[in-house]
Amino acid sequence: MIERLTTIMARLRDPRHGCDWDRAQNFASIAPYTIEEAYEVADAIDRGDMDDLRDELGDLLLQVVFHSRIAEEAGAFALADVIAAISDKMERRHPHIFGDAAASPGWEHIKAEERGNRDKSGALDGVALGLPALLRAEKLQKRAARTGFDWPDASGPRAKIDEELAEVERASPADIEGEIGDLLFSVVNWARHQGVDPEAALRSANAKFERRFRAMEAEAGDDFASLSLEQKEALWLTAKSAE
C-alpha cells in the first residue's frame, strides 16, 4: 500500500504533468503542515475518535512521503532510506529485544552515543527548535538535569515561581515579555518535578476552558456579550459546577 502512496506523490511532483501546487513546495513550505498534522493526530486521540485518527495518521504519513520525495529528487535520500534508518534505530535502542540483553548499555547511554555520533558535544544539542515552546522547555530542562544541573526536589522550582512572579510585577514595559517567559519556564520546571507533562496539562486546560465557555454561551443565548462581568462570572461558576 505504501508503494501506491509513493507513486501518487511522484506523479503529483512530476515536472511536466504534476500538480502545480505540489511541484512548488519545498521542505520549508510544507514543514508547517507537518506540524499541524501531528497536532491533529493528537487531537483525534484526545477525542477518542478512531475514524478521525485513521484519517489524520494518513495525513501525517503523507507528510513523510512528501518530504522523502523532495529529498529523493535532490539526491539526498528516499523513503526507503527513512524506513531503514528508523528500523535500525529501533533495533539499536532495544538490544534487550533484538540482541543481547546482558550486554545492553541502557537507553540513555544508547541515545547519548547516537548524539555523539552526530559530532555534537553540548548537553542541549539536538533539541529541535521547531518544538512547541512548553515541550522544548521541558526537554531542555531534562537534558540539563542529566548533567546534574537541577533542583533536588520540587520545592526549588516552586520557590523560583514566586521569585519570577515578583520580577514580572517589577518589570518595565520593555522587560515584561522576558520576565513572563522566565515565569513560564519556571512553571514548566515545577510541573516536571511534579511528574506532570506541561504540554498535556495546558492542552487539558484549554479544552476545559472551551467546554465551560461554550456552556456559558449556550445558557445565555444571543445576549451573552451584553451581560455584565458579574453575570458572566455567575454563568462560569454554573458551568464549572455542572462538570
Side-chain angles (χ1 to χ4, degrees):
M1 297 299 289
I2 192 69
E3 289 81 5
R4 180 186 175 195
L5 184 57
T6 56
T7 300
I8 290 171
M9 180 52 63
R11 178 68 181 275
L12 291 172
R13 293 277 299 178
D14 185 272
R16 294 184 60 189
H17 305 293
C19 168
D20 289 343
W21 186 90
D22 290 282
R23 287 191 292 108
Q25 303 312 305
N26 55 43
F27 293 124
S29 68
I30 63 172
Y33 298 103
T34 308
I35 296 169
E36 180 181 341
E37 296 301 349
Y39 274 110
E40 290 184 0
V41 167
D43 178 64
I45 292 171
D46 285 344
R47 291 184 285 105
D49 190 329
M50 292 298 103
D51 289 337
D52 241 12
L53 179 57
R54 177 200 61 215
D55 292 344
E56 298 301 345
L57 285 171
D59 291 342
L60 185 57
L61 177 60
L62 176 63
Q63 295 298 309
V64 176
V65 172
F66 207 153
H67 282 287
S68 298
R69 179 62 194 180
I70 295 172
E72 184 175 3
E73 292 168 358
F77 58 82
L79 180 63
D81 301 308
V82 174
I83 295 172
I86 188 58
S87 297
D88 290 345
K89 182 186 292 185
M90 294 305 293
E91 290 179 348
R92 184 172 64 249
R93 289 185 174 182
H94 297 82
H96 57 296
I97 303 297
F98 301 104
D100 184 356
S104 174
W107 175 264
E108 293 301 335
H109 179 84
I110 293 169
K111 291 188 69 175
E113 193 173 67
E114 289 174 354
R115 288 193 293 272
N117 290 340
R118 299 190 196 109
D119 296 323
K120 294 180 177 180
S121 57
L124 305 183
D125 289 336
V127 181
L129 289 171
L131 290 172
L134 285 179
L135 178 57
R136 190 163 194 270
E138 182 186 26
K139 285 185 174 292
L140 289 170
Q141 292 168 7
K142 285 182 175 179
R143 289 286 189 87
R146 292 174 190 165
T147 71
F149 188 68
D150 196 14
W151 301 99
D153 55 49
S155 64
R158 177 61 186 87
K160 190 68 174 175
I161 290 174
D162 291 335
E163 177 186 328
E164 297 296 350
L165 182 58
E167 292 185 8
V168 168
E169 292 172 341
R170 296 193 301 266
S172 67
D175 295 334
I176 189 71
E177 180 180 333
E179 296 298 347
I180 289 179
D182 292 343
L183 175 61
L184 290 172
F185 193 84
S186 296
V187 171
V188 170
N189 209 356
W190 189 42
R192 182 174 62 85
H193 276 268
Q194 297 285 356
V196 173
D197 178 346
E199 187 77 20
L202 185 56
R203 189 163 59 243
S204 176
N206 288 341
K208 185 192 302 180
F209 177 83
E210 184 177 11
R211 184 172 62 250
R212 292 174 180 175
F213 193 88
R214 290 185 186 279
M216 292 166 61
E217 289 181 315
E219 180 67 23
D222 295 337
D223 297 329
F224 178 75
S226 63
L227 296 178
S228 68
L229 182 58
E230 290 76 15
Q231 290 172 312
K232 290 172 182 171
E233 179 66 19
L235 286 172
W236 175 267
L237 293 174
T238 299
K240 182 178 179 179
S241 63
E243 293 186 346

